C-alpha cells in the first residue's frame, strides 16, 4: 500500500513540475489485470519448475531416450542410467542440489535478466510502476545503477551460456529419435521435444543481446552486408520476444510434463515409427 501522496517525498510522480494529483491513478479501466495475470503466470512456472527440478523422478524415459529439459545436462552419478548424455564427471549429489545444477543457474540468470522479464516483474512484482499512469508505491528510484539491479547488465553473458545450453537441448532432442528396439524411431515425444527446442532457439535468438552481437558496434551497415542481413532477421524476431518468452515457459512445462507421464508409465508414448 503506498503512503498518502501528501506525506511522500517530492520525487517521482510527486516531483515539482508534475501535476498535483492526489489519487493514485485516474484510470478507470482494469489496469491491474495485466500485472495480476503476469505474476500468476510467472509464479505458476516457478513453482512447477522448482518442484520438478528437485523431485528426481520420471525425468527420463529409458525406452525412448526422452530427457526432460529440467534435467539437462545430467552429469552426476545420481542420474538414472542413460540420462547422462555427456557422461558423469560429478559424483552423487545430495537431494538439495538439482541434477541440472550446471545449467539451471544460467537459465535462471538468462530469464531473470531478460529485458522482457524485467519489464514483467518490475511492473507486476515491484509495482515500479504497476501500469502507465499509475503511481508506484516506492518513493525512490535508483534504476539499475547499483547492487543488486546492476547485475542486470550481465545479460549478454547469460546469453552466451543460453546458446550453449540450447545446443545441449538440441543434442538431447536429436538422440531421442530412438525406437523401443534400439533403432530409429519417433513418436509424439519427439515432436514435443523438437518443437520445444525450436522455440527455445527462437526465444534465444530473438534476445536483445543477440541483436547487439549480430549488428552492434558497426559504423556502416553497408560495409557488413552479411551481419546487416542477420541483424535484420534477428530484429524481426525481436519484435515478438515477449510472445516467445511466454510460449517457451509453456513448452518447457509441456515437454517435462509429457516426459514425466511417459517415464512414469502413466501413459504410453504415441509412436509413429519404431
Ligand atoms: Fe530476453 Fe535477452 S533473453 S532480452
Amino acid at each position: 500500500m503506498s503512503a498518502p501522496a501528501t506525506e511522500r517525498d517530492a520525487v517521482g510522480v510527486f516531483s515539482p513540475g508534475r501535476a498535483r494529483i492526489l489519487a493514485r491513478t485516474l484510470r478507470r479501466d482494469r489496469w491491474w489485470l495485466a500485472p495480476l495475470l503476469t505474476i500468476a503466470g510467472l509464479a505458476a512456472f516457478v513453482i512447477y519448475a522448482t518442484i520438478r527440478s528437485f523431485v528426481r523422478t520420471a525425468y527420463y524415459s529409458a525406452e525412448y531416450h526422452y530427457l526432460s529439459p529440467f534435467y539437462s545436462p545430467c552429469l552426476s552419478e545420481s542420474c538414472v542410467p542413460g540420462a547422462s548424455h555427456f557422461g558423469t564427471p560429478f559424483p552423487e549429489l545430495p537431494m538439495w542440489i538439482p541434477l541440472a545444477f550446471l545449467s539451471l543457474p544460467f537459465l535462471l540468470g538468462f530469464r531473470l535478466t531478460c529485458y522482457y522479464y524485467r519489464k514483467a516483474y518490475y511492473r507486476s512484482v515491484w509495482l515500479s510502476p504497476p501500469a502507465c499512469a499509475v503511481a508506484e508505491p516506492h518513493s525512490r528510484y535508483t534504476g539499475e545503477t547499483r547492487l543488486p539491479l546492476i547485475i542486470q547488465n550481465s545479460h549478454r553473458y547469460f546469453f552466451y551460456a543460453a546458446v550453449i545450453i540450447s545446443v545441449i537441448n538440441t543434442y538431447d532432442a536429436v538422440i531421442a529419435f530412438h525406437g523401443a528396439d534400439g533403432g530409429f524411431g519417433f513418436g509424439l515425444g519427439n515432436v514435443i521435444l523438437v518443437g520445444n527446442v525450436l522455440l527455445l532457439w527462437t526465444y534465444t535468438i530473438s534476445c536483445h543481446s543477440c541483436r547487439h552481437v549480430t549488428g552492434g558496434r558497426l559504423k556502416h551497415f553497408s560495409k557488413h552486408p552479411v551481419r546487416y542481413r542477420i541483424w535484420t532477421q534477428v530484429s524481426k524476431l525481436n519484435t515478438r520476444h515477449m510472445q516467445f518468452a511466454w510460449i517457451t515457459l509453456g513448452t518447457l512445462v509441456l515437454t517435462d510434463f509429457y516426459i514425466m507421464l511417459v517415464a512414469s508409465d502413466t501413459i504410453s508414448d504415441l509412436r509413429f515409427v519404431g
Side-chain angles (χ1 to χ4, degrees):
M1 190 78 182
S2 62
T6 50
E7 296 174 11
R8 295 175 61 170
D9 298 336
V11 294
V13 294
F14 303 108
S15 306
R18 299 288 292 268
R20 305 295 296 175
I21 299 171
L22 297 185
R24 188 159 174 223
T25 182
L26 299 180
R27 286 180 65 167
R28 298 287 177 92
D29 62 330
R30 294 188 295 170
W31 58 265
W32 43 266
L33 190 57
L36 188 67
L37 292 176
T38 303
I39 198 167
L42 293 178
F45 177 81
V46 168
I47 291 169
Y48 179 89
T50 304
I51 293 173
R52 280 295 294 153
S53 297
F54 281 93
V55 292
R56 293 191 183 183
T57 57
Y59 60 87
Y60 179 67
S61 163
E63 196 172 7
Y64 302 118
H65 293 195
Y66 296 156
L67 176 64
S68 164
F70 293 143
Y71 285 81
S72 176
C74 212
L75 297 171
S76 83
E77 287 170 4
S78 299
C79 302
V80 294
S84 303
H85 296 160
F86 301 94
T88 55
F90 295 94
E92 297 249 348
L93 298 174
M95 288 300 289
W96 53 270
I97 298 181
L99 294 184
F101 69 96
L102 216 53
S103 61
L104 289 181
F106 291 104
L107 289 177
L108 187 66
F110 185 50
R111 297 257 172 179
L112 272 181
T113 59
C114 163
Y115 286 63
Y116 165 66
Y117 286 112
R118 284 190 224 180
K119 171 188 159 188
Y121 64 76
Y122 284 176
R123 288 191 177 185
S124 309
V125 181
W126 282 331
L127 309 177
S128 180
C132 290
V134 180
E136 66 266 46
H138 313 285
S139 60
R140 284 165 53 79
Y141 175 76
T142 56
E144 295 168 345
T145 58
R146 60 181 71 169
L147 280 172
L149 291 185
I150 198 169
I151 294 172
Q152 304 283 29
N153 294 308
S154 61
H155 184 64
R156 75 196 71 171
Y157 304 109
F158 286 116
F159 165 74
Y160 298 130
V163 168
I164 295 170
I165 294 167
S166 293
V167 171
I168 293 171
N169 290 151
T170 305
Y171 181 78
D172 293 338
V174 168
I175 67 166
F177 283 92
H178 196 275
D181 57 3
F184 173 80
F186 78 95
L188 181 57
N190 296 97
V191 175
I192 292 173
L193 273 166
V194 170
N196 178 53
V197 157
L198 288 176
L199 285 161
L200 285 177
W201 271 115
T202 311
Y203 169 68
T204 306
I205 289 171
S206 66
C207 168
H208 291 69
S209 293
C210 187
R211 282 189 78 224
H212 182 73
V213 167
T214 53
R217 303 178 73 87
L218 294 182
K219 287 207 169 77
H220 306 285
F221 274 139
S222 57
K223 291 185 180 158
H224 303 272
V226 175
R227 285 185 67 183
Y228 175 64
R229 206 174 166 77
I230 296 171
W231 175 83
T232 305
Q233 299 307 317
V234 169
S235 297
K236 284 181 189 162
L237 287 177
N238 181 260
T239 62
R240 304 242 181 280
H241 192 58
M242 180 184 82
Q243 286 93 325
F244 295 132
W246 281 106
I247 289 170
T248 47
L249 290 190
T251 59
L252 280 167
V253 168
L254 173 70
T255 306
D256 174 79
F257 191 68
Y258 185 81
I259 291 173
M260 179 180 74
L261 294 180
V262 172
S264 61
D265 288 328
T266 306
I267 62 170
S268 301
D269 186 32
L270 177 61
R271 302 301 294 173
F272 306 122
V273 177

